[in-house]
Amino acid sequence: MQPAGHAGDPAQPGPGVHGTRTVRFVQQNNMELLATILVDGLIYAGWLFIVSVGLTLVFGVLNILNIAHGSLYAMGAYAAATVVGIYFAHGGDAFPMGSYVALIVAALLVALIVGPVLERWLLRYFYGRDEVLIVLVTYGVFLVLEDVMKLVWGVEPYFVSEPYSLLGNIEAGPLFYVGYDFAVIAAALVVGLVVWLVLNKTRTGKVVLAVIHDSEMSQSMGVDISRIYRWAFVAGVFLAALGGALTAPMLSVTPGLGVNVIIVAFAVVIIGGLGSVEGAAIGALMVGIARAASVHLLPEAELFIIYLVMAFVLFFRPEGLFVKDQARKI
Amino acid sequence: MNAHVSVAGLSLLALAVLVAGGWLLPDWAMFLVTMALAKGVVSLGIVVMMRGGLVSFGQGLYYCIGAYTAALVAGALGTTDIFLLVVLGVLISGALGALLGPLLATYRGIFFAMLSLSLSMILYGALSKLTVIGGTDGMNVAAATFLGFHPEGIVLQRSLYLFTAVLTVGVGALLRVHFDSQRGLLSLAIRDNELRVEYLGSSVRSVMAANYVIAAMLGGAGGAISALAIGHVDPEFSYWTTSGEFVFVAILAGYLSIPAVFVASIILELVRSFSNLYFPNTWQLSLGVFLLAVIFLLPEGIGSLVRRRRGAASRTELADER
């Protein structure tokens, strides 16, 4: 059980290469080492951002820190395995690129089925309650979902390797990267851009921002809060599942996939400031690069560098980097 | 004074029941209750903080420190005297707590929870990489001895159980007295409104830091006992899911009653081992449903059941608390 994901971690193209590579680079060229760290870090950051932006969105709107986010991520990965499997079983070989659409469809399915069920039947009873209690509620959901996934998909690993190899390899200096890894960075940019555009440039998005700012006031202005809550949660579930679906091709989908992701996503979101999309982007970059640096320079620290960064940031900014000032209430 | 008499009476009663259990309980239940009590002591630490409104999601840190202290000292000195190891576990955890407490005492809510969680995960990561002390496999710990007494088999089981029972009751009684003292009641006032407490001239930060240190020491005690009872320690002691269980028990019990913490801990261990036995593939599901049901039905925890009946006459919060 490795936090940060054994292979849920795109920063590691293959096992066992890092030790020798590091030594060679130190002898050869520090600039190349720096570039490697940067590229690995960016790939990891892209993955981190997709995984954690949904978490911060849900917290911003609903004030729920969702531990089950990791399970939804895992569910996205399983759904991707199923949907891509169905796609290739029904003549998808003729147009393999369509499997990328299948990945997105899988995430959508999870969001539209699981999202409303969780929000309507469970979470809405806890709106406005103590946030730590809600963390525990979602911890209960996490436990339940972990076993539900075992019941639905069994305990055997699934492989969705087709989309991973489709984009070929990319040569960057003396190193080879799998094209799919860069597709993850691109996906992160697209996700970030879409979330930003929707929030800032559409009417619905501005209403959501108003709810984040002050839900009571928005309600008194005639905003249908429960609708915003429902769709914001569904969007959060979609982003979690999308993270899982995009990760599925890079590893074997097995039970326990989500356990490690939760805490890593938490760290990113807390560093950036809860509820802040920009914060999640900065947090993902910091954690991604710190982790890549640690993998290449100080492998012993790899397992806990994320938490070290988080503790360090919270030490100076007790509520994360991007956080609104609030008046003390007596 | 009256309150102290009732604390003493209740403690003696609890002790009598637990000691009788040492001869009445079947073997498997004795180990289960030993572990439940040891973990209950850790959860009690979370309850101490919960009275001030803080919930730590990283109590596994001190549980793990206590356990590794016991394992490492046992390995280095060749003694597994439980009294020595528990005292050392408490002291080392307490020392770390005293170091971190003042820093963490200014954090609130989810930030406190996550910062404490990240500290426990740092320990987890470090221990997993330290192959000198077993890495992710951890280490074995030899059987416990009791001040020169070397029991084996069922006698060892019973001795461990009795030691844990006595320690649990002692800790519970001490904390009850502390909770009812002026300083202990300050935590509840902080929970209500910490700015008011500051304006009335008390230091919120020092109360929070003190609560944190108490919780750290309790975590160390629980960890040291667990290490000796299981006979093995590994980094999982500090993993976030372990801490999650401690929080689970604390929330299940609520912050009103101390015995409720141990009742909750025993319930959790029972639910876990029975669902493990009967639904080996879905025990997490049973646990999760159970947790959600408790939160729905008893939002103030098991402890509120007792208090509700007893406190009918006096409704104010402080009177309720006594």
Side-chain angles (χ1 to χ4, degrees):
Chain A
M1 217 181 260
Q2 313 284 308
H6 42 297
D9 150 23
Q12 293 192 331
V17 282
H18 293 299
T20 49
R21 188 199 278 173
T22 308
V23 173
R24 189 159 47 99
F25 268 102
V26 170
Q27 289 166 348
Q28 272 187 357
N29 193 335
N30 280 328
M31 282 312 287
E32 277 181 19
L33 176 63
L34 200 67
T36 314
I37 289 175
L38 214 62
V39 173
D40 280 358
L42 277 177
I43 293 171
Y44 191 50
W47 176 79
L48 277 174
F49 178 72
I50 300 178
V51 172
S52 47
V53 69
L55 193 65
T56 206
L57 182 72
V58 168
F59 184 86
V61 180
L62 292 87
N63 249 317
I64 288 177
L65 195 52
N66 186 11
I67 288 194
H69 196 79
S71 310
L72 297 165
Y73 161 91
M75 215 171 244
Y78 272 114
T82 305
V83 175
V84 170
I86 292 174
Y87 180 75
F88 281 107
H90 290 79
D93 290 325
F95 184 59
M97 285 293 171
S99 57
Y100 296 113
V101 180
L103 292 179
I104 295 170
V105 169
L108 262 179
L109 281 176
V110 172
L112 291 177
I113 296 171
V114 182
V117 169
L118 273 185
E119 200 271 340
R120 283 290 92 185
W121 292 0
L122 187 71
L123 294 179
R124 74 185 168 107
Y125 298 106
F126 294 98
Y127 291 154
R129 296 282 291 277
D130 182 45
E131 51 191 16
V132 175
L133 182 84
I134 300 179
V135 169
L136 208 66
V137 170
T138 61
Y139 178 63
V141 175
F142 155 76
L143 289 175
V144 171
L145 288 183
E146 284 298 296
D147 274 353
V148 166
M149 279 187 282
K150 281 185 211 154
L151 291 177
V152 175
W153 282 284
V155 290
E156 298 298 315
Y158 283 77
F159 296 94
V160 210
S161 47
E162 294 91 347
Y164 192 52
S165 46
L166 278 180
L167 297 178
N169 291 333
I170 292 173
E171 196 179 343
L175 292 174
F176 284 99
Y177 285 94
V178 179
Y180 191 86
D181 290 343
F182 287 97
V184 169
I185 299 184
L189 289 175
V190 171
V191 165
L193 196 67
V194 169
V195 170
W196 187 85
L197 282 177
V198 169
L199 281 181
N200 293 293
K201 297 290 167 190
T202 67
R203 198 186 122 77
T204 320
K206 285 183 177 165
V207 172
V208 171
L209 286 182
V211 173
I212 292 178
H213 190 73
D214 190 335
S215 60
E216 259 175 43
M217 191 57 88
S218 323
Q219 195 164 22
S220 63
M221 296 287 185
V223 173
D224 182 354
I225 295 271
S226 67
R227 218 188 88 218
I228 299 286
Y229 278 8
R230 181 159 65 244
W231 289 109
F233 188 73
V234 170
V237 175
F238 172 71
L239 289 166
L242 184 69
L246 292 178
T247 315
M250 298 191 269
L251 46 88
S252 63
V253 183
T254 49
L257 187 66
V259 188
N260 306 316
V261 175
I262 302 164
I263 304 298
V264 177
F266 268 9
V268 167
V269 164
I270 298 262
I271 287 172
L274 281 162
S276 158
V277 174
E278 300 92 325
I282 302 284
L285 272 177
M286 285 175 68
V287 170
I289 294 191
R291 182 152 187 285
S294 145
V295 165
H296 290 284
L297 301 175
L298 189 68
E300 297 80 17
E302 181 205 333
L303 278 181
F304 57 85
I305 188 79
I306 295 172
Y307 312 107
L308 216 55
V309 174
M310 170 165 146
F312 184 76
V313 169
L314 284 188
F315 187 71
F316 292 102
R317 299 272 306 173
E319 307 207 329
L321 294 174
F322 290 78
V323 71
K324 295 171 301 202
D325 288 332
Q326 276 177 339
R328 292 214 288 184
K329 287 177 185 157
I330 298 177
Chain B
M1 266 306 37
N2 227 344
H4 284 191
V5 174
S6 80
V7 168
L10 203 66
S11 309
L12 283 177
L13 184 70
L15 195 61
V17 170
L18 282 171
V19 168
W23 279 268
L24 297 176
L25 286 173
D27 291 1
W28 62 267
M30 211 183 298
F31 176 72
L32 186 144
V33 176
T34 307
M35 285 307 296
L37 293 179
K39 288 182 175 176
V41 170
V42 186
S43 298
L44 194 54
I46 298 184
V47 170
V48 171
M49 285 188 275
M50 254 167 71
R51 288 167 57 87
L54 291 183
V55 175
S56 159
F57 265 77
Q59 218 51 23
L61 173 69
Y62 297 106
Y63 183 61
C64 189
I65 295 265
Y68 267 79
T69 303
L72 288 171
V73 171
L77 301 185
T79 168
T80 49
D81 187 87
I82 194 164
F83 291 90
L84 176 72
L85 294 183
V86 169
V87 166
L88 284 177
V90 168
L91 285 181
I92 298 207
S93 293
L96 183 65
L99 211 65
L100 294 175
L103 287 177
L104 285 167
T106 49
Y107 292 81
R108 294 291 174 269
I110 210 71
F111 297 96
F112 176 79
M114 289 299 128
L115 196 57
S116 54
L117 182 145
S118 77
L119 292 172
S120 75
M121 289 302 290
I122 290 174
L123 181 68
Y124 170 81
L127 288 177
S128 301
K129 287 277 175 179
L130 272 176
T131 40
V132 197
I133 52 170
T136 47
D137 291 337
M139 288 178 290
N140 286 329
V141 188
T145 59
F146 302 78
L147 300 175
F149 173 50
H150 296 255
E152 281 173 11
I154 179 67
V155 186
L156 173 62
Q157 282 269 8
R158 189 175 293 140
S159 312
L160 268 172
Y161 169 82
L162 290 176
F163 176 87
T164 314
V166 171
L167 183 111
T168 302
V169 173
V171 165
L174 277 179
L175 277 180
R176 185 74 262 168
V177 172
H178 168 70
F179 284 176
D180 290 346
S181 70
Q182 193 185 349
R183 193 161 170 86
L185 286 171
L186 258 182
S187 294
L188 287 182
I190 293 172
R191 185 189 175 90
D192 269 358
N193 189 325
E194 64 178 79
L195 214 50
R196 258 184 233 159
V197 174
E198 284 278 345
Y199 285 174
L200 290 173
S202 300
S203 163
V204 169
R205 193 173 167 175
S206 81
V207 173
M208 294 301 209
N211 285 351
Y212 187 84
V213 176
I214 294 175
M217 291 164 78
L218 294 175
I225 296 174
S226 298
L228 289 164
I230 302 173
H232 184 81
V233 295
D234 62 50
E236 290 281 317
F237 277 54
S238 189
Y239 200 59
W240 72 269
T241 47
T242 310
S243 304
E245 277 175 21
F246 295 136
V247 178
F248 182 3
V249 168
I251 302 267
L252 183 58
Y255 65 93
L256 296 174
S257 157
I258 290 175
V261 177
F262 298 99
V263 173
S265 185
I266 292 173
I267 291 177
L268 173 69
E269 290 296 322
L270 281 175
V271 169
R272 197 221 312 266
S273 30
F274 277 99
S275 41
N276 231 334
L277 195 63
Y278 293 112
F279 324 104
N281 294 320
T282 54
W283 67 272
Q284 293 193 97
L285 183 87
S286 339
L287 211 61
V289 169
F290 175 67
L291 168 64
L292 290 174
V294 169
I295 295 175
F296 256 112
L297 301 175
L298 292 174
E300 294 284 305
I302 300 179
S304 65
L305 287 179
V306 190
R307 298 284 150 174
R308 225 181 276 164
R309 229 181 302 141
R310 203 193 300 166
S314 47
R315 266 282 146 240
T316 70
E317 244 176 66
L318 289 186
D320 213 356
E321 187 48 34
R322 276 170 193 277

